[in-house]
Amino acid sequence: MRSSRETDAIRPVALVTGAGRQRGIGRACAVRLASDGYTVVVHARSSESSEINDDESGQQWRHAASVVEEILDMGGSAQCVVGDLRNSSTIDEIRSTIVENGDLAAIVNNAATSGEANAYAIHETPEDLWRETLEINVTTLFTLTSSLIPLFGSSRVENKSIVNLSSTAGKRPLQRYGAYCASKAAVEAMTVQQAIELAKMGVRVNCVAPGSTATDMIDNTLNRAAKIAGLEQEQILKLVMKKIPMRRFAEPTEIAGVVSFLVGRDSSFITGQIITVDGGMTLL
């Protein structure tokens, strides 16, 4: 007699980590994948409420919970998991939530810290900050993905993939970005390692390397740069724009579009690739 799981329709599940920022790449990826038909497990580190940055007075942004509500309102399916990925209990909860909702189809490793980019030369970086940056940006990607690989083995989904998020900072040195640059270069190295080793399981692994993107995180980085340089943030912004041939920042939705492509069937023979999305910045 066939089990209920065998007779159920396949429900592809996509995990997006670090998806709780109101203007973040993770949120954009979660919403896009939900519109693509995936049940999305939305992860965020924090559940603390904050003011919504728009004209809707009296509302609170509740990170992953707000993203889930957004997806449900558009007719999609999603559940949230809140917790630090450095804790094994968070990874266990993510794993069980995926299993409860269907078959694992995609992992989008987006969770990251800027490592206080623009604050320290590499030899001046406090050791605890160095360790934290590498732990959040590299080690948790390794531990989470390693924990979830068996779910790919049991998944009935044909098109299985992992998309890691790096940065153009992982491709070339940037002054006072030492910990961040090192961590993102490691993510790209891990991507190709995973790609060659998981191909036999039918799991594709690719990486998206965004350039400057209009997110909450880059606001903080520009603020630090302005304070260090003794300039206004608007002046720093203009200096950065001059280094981008397209003369603008990416929108989070533009990064999400590339992630959607790499997760989807149209990229079914693409693996081990680093896709740079930077408006031509690294061409200069």
Side-chain angles (χ1 to χ4, degrees), residues 213-242:
T213 307
T215 64
D216 314 63
M217 183 182 288
I218 204 168
D219 289 345
N220 297 328
T221 301
L222 292 174
N223 283 333
R224 282 193 296 271
K227 289 178 181 178
I228 291 168
L231 300 171
E232 296 295 325
Q233 183 174 339
E234 188 64 29
Q235 293 174 291
I236 293 293
L237 183 61
K238 288 179 179 179
L239 291 173
V240 175
M241 291 289 191
K242 288 181 180 179

Side-chain angles (χ1 to χ4, degrees), residues 190-208:
M190 192 184 304
T191 295
V192 295
Q193 189 72 29
Q194 290 173 327
I196 198 168
E197 293 177 348
L198 294 177
K200 61 186 177 183
M201 291 182 60
V203 179
R204 299 180 297 105
V205 189
N206 293 289
C207 183
V208 177

Side-chain angles (χ1 to χ4, degrees), residues 133-281:
T133 305
L134 271 292
E135 187 174 18
I136 292 173
N137 293 359
V138 184
T139 304
T140 61
L141 189 156
F142 162 75
T143 54
L144 174 66
T145 306
S146 298
S147 174
L148 298 181
I149 291 302
L151 296 186
F152 277 128
S154 60
S155 174
R156 297 168 296 169
V157 175
E158 291 185 8
N159 184 40
K160 307 169 188 177
S161 66
I162 298 170
V163 179
N164 298 322
L165 273 291
S166 65
S167 166
T168 52
K171 300 182 177 300
R172 59 184 185 181
L174 295 172
Q175 290 195 45
R176 310 180 76 87
Y177 272 68
Y180 188 70
C181 286
S183 70
K184 290 305 186 179
V187 168
E188 296 193 358
M190 192 184 304
T191 295
V192 295
Q193 189 72 29
Q194 290 173 327
I196 198 168
E197 293 177 348
L198 294 177
K200 61 186 177 183
M201 291 182 60
V203 179
R204 299 180 297 105
V205 189
N206 293 289
C207 183
V208 177
S212 297
T213 307
T215 64
D216 314 63
M217 183 182 288
I218 204 168
D219 289 345
N220 297 328
T221 301
L222 292 174
N223 283 333
R224 282 193 296 271
K227 289 178 181 178
I228 291 168
L231 300 171
E232 296 295 325
Q233 183 174 339
E234 188 64 29
Q235 293 174 291
I236 293 293
L237 183 61
K238 288 179 179 179
L239 291 173
V240 175
M241 291 289 191
K242 288 181 180 179
K243 298 178 181 179
I244 304 173
M246 292 183 69
R247 294 295 189 268
R248 67 175 180 86
F249 284 4
E251 291 297 325
T253 52
E254 292 178 299
I255 309 302
V258 180
V259 171
S260 172
F261 166 71
L262 290 174
V263 167
R265 293 184 179 278
D266 287 346
S267 63
S268 58
F269 204 56
I270 297 175
T271 195
Q273 302 305 303
I274 316 296
I275 310 298
T276 303
V277 188
D278 69 350
M281 185 174 65

Side-chain angles (χ1 to χ4, degrees), residues 7-223:
T7 56
D8 285 345
I10 296 174
R11 296 175 295 161
V13 177
L15 165 68
V16 183
T17 66
R21 287 180 177 267
Q22 187 183 352
R23 291 172 44 239
I25 290 171
R27 174 196 182 184
C29 289
V31 172
R32 175 60 185 265
L33 292 180
S35 72
D36 290 344
Y38 296 90
T39 293
V40 183
V41 177
V42 181
H43 162 265
R45 181 178 175 182
S46 172
S47 59
E48 294 180 4
S49 298
S50 58
E51 295 295 331
I52 289 180
N53 296 322
D54 59 23
D55 294 331
E56 299 179 58
S57 60
Q59 294 197 43
Q60 296 284 317
W61 179 256
R62 294 178 295 111
H63 303 274
S66 290
V67 179
V68 168
E69 287 180 5
E70 183 177 4
I71 290 171
L72 295 178
D73 286 345
M74 59 183 248
S77 176
Q79 277 193 243
C80 67
V81 174
V82 176
D84 194 322
L85 291 175
R86 291 172 289 183
N87 298 331
S88 59
S89 59
T90 302
I91 294 178
D92 290 342
E93 185 178 355
I94 287 173
R95 187 192 306 111
S96 62
T97 303
I98 291 170
V99 171
E100 289 168 4
N101 282 276
D103 292 87
L104 182 60
I107 301 171
V108 179
N109 285 308
N110 173 71
T113 176
S114 67
E116 294 190 33
N118 265 325
Y120 301 101
I122 192 165
H123 62 283
E124 297 170 340
T125 305
E127 186 173 343
D128 59 346
L129 177 61
W130 174 270
R131 290 182 183 276
E132 179 185 66
T133 305
L134 271 292
E135 187 174 18
I136 292 173
N137 293 359
V138 184
T139 304
T140 61
L141 189 156
F142 162 75
T143 54
L144 174 66
T145 306
S146 298
S147 174
L148 298 181
I149 291 302
L151 296 186
F152 277 128
S154 60
S155 174
R156 297 168 296 169
V157 175
E158 291 185 8
N159 184 40
K160 307 169 188 177
S161 66
I162 298 170
V163 179
N164 298 322
L165 273 291
S166 65
S167 166
T168 52
K171 300 182 177 300
R172 59 184 185 181
L174 295 172
Q175 290 195 45
R176 310 180 76 87
Y177 272 68
Y180 188 70
C181 286
S183 70
K184 290 305 186 179
V187 168
E188 296 193 358
M190 192 184 304
T191 295
V192 295
Q193 189 72 29
Q194 290 173 327
I196 198 168
E197 293 177 348
L198 294 177
K200 61 186 177 183
M201 291 182 60
V203 179
R204 299 180 297 105
V205 189
N206 293 289
C207 183
V208 177
S212 297
T213 307
T215 64
D216 314 63
M217 183 182 288
I218 204 168
D219 289 345
N220 297 328
T221 301
L222 292 174
N223 283 333

